[in-house]
Amino acid sequence: MNESHCRIAVYPGSFDPITLGHLNVMERASRLFDELIVGVGVNIEKEPLFAPEERLELIRRATDHLKNIQIRTFSGLAVEFVRSCGARIMIRGVRPITDIPAELTMMMANRRLAADVETLFMIADGELAHVSSSLIKQIAPLASDEALSRFLPPAVVHAMRAKLSHVASR
């Protein structure tokens, strides 16, 4: 398919760490577009647990079965990253109760910054719609691996355990 007809979407986020909710959105978005670029960015309002390169690798492992995904790191405005990828669609994974007001505000700001970029909101399926990376960081020290596997891809459960033991030993 030539580049002018290629449908590209970008799913930016901090993904610290990637959850099954993120993965659900990635899988569904990858079926809608010829190419899905996952952008691992920095959220200046949050203290990261994993370095950007670690997050990139965890996403790579979790999405290995998806052949039309690229994973890249970025800094700066997500809408500018979308443009730099040659895309006009930004995917935003949202939780129905907690994210909508902030995401609508951000969408309106992005429209002012880049009117040619559209935002597509996707909610993770059913039991994953409430899962957030922040929730995972709160429960991980107390939850069993079996409990965490209800929220995280298998490779991420192991990485989370390793990271928490490293952080605890400091």
Side-chain angles (χ1 to χ4, degrees):
M1 179 171 289
N2 76 33
E3 202 171 316
S4 65
H5 291 91
C6 187
R7 295 176 308 154
I8 302 170
V10 177
Y11 181 19
S14 54
F15 307 109
D16 186 37
I18 180 176
T19 68
L20 290 176
H22 293 134
L23 182 58
N24 177 262
V25 169
M26 289 173 195
E27 288 171 338
R28 291 173 32 234
S30 75
R31 291 192 301 265
L32 296 174
F33 297 93
D34 299 321
E35 185 177 350
L36 178 65
I37 300 169
V38 176
V40 177
V42 175
N43 184 334
I44 60 172
E45 296 178 357
K46 295 180 182 177
E47 181 66 34
L49 182 61
F50 291 94
E53 299 75 25
E54 291 173 309
R55 289 181 262 153
L56 190 130
E57 181 56 31
L58 291 173
I59 295 168
R60 211 174 253 131
R61 287 188 216 163
T63 61
D64 193 37
H65 63 291
L66 303 172
K67 300 308 176 202
N68 63 333
I69 286 190
Q70 289 183 39
I71 305 120
R72 303 178 189 170
T73 58
F74 76 98
S75 59
L77 295 173
V79 73
E80 291 299 327
F81 175 66
V82 172
R83 276 182 157 168
S84 75
C85 292
R88 292 185 13 225
I89 303 289
M90 178 173 11
I91 306 290
R92 295 298 299 157
V94 295
R95 290 175 299 260
I97 308 260
T98 59
D99 292 344
I100 300 295
E103 287 293 339
L104 286 175
T105 300
M106 185 58 66
M107 179 199 69
M108 289 184 277
N110 285 339
R111 298 260 318 138
R112 299 283 291 166
L113 294 168
D116 58 325
V117 174
E118 290 293 338
T119 301
L120 175 64
F121 295 116
M122 296 184 77
I123 298 171
D125 285 342
E127 71 280 356
L128 301 172
H130 69 287
V131 178
S132 71
S133 296
S134 299
L135 170 71
I136 297 306
K137 290 176 199 172
Q138 287 177 319
I139 68 170
L142 306 171
S144 67
D145 286 0
E146 180 183 341
L148 283 178
S149 69
R150 294 182 192 134
F151 304 106
L152 298 172
V156 179
V157 172
H158 301 297
M160 179 65 81
R161 286 288 176 235
K163 182 63 76 170
L164 290 175
S165 69
H166 177 71
V167 169
S169 69
R170 286 187 194 173

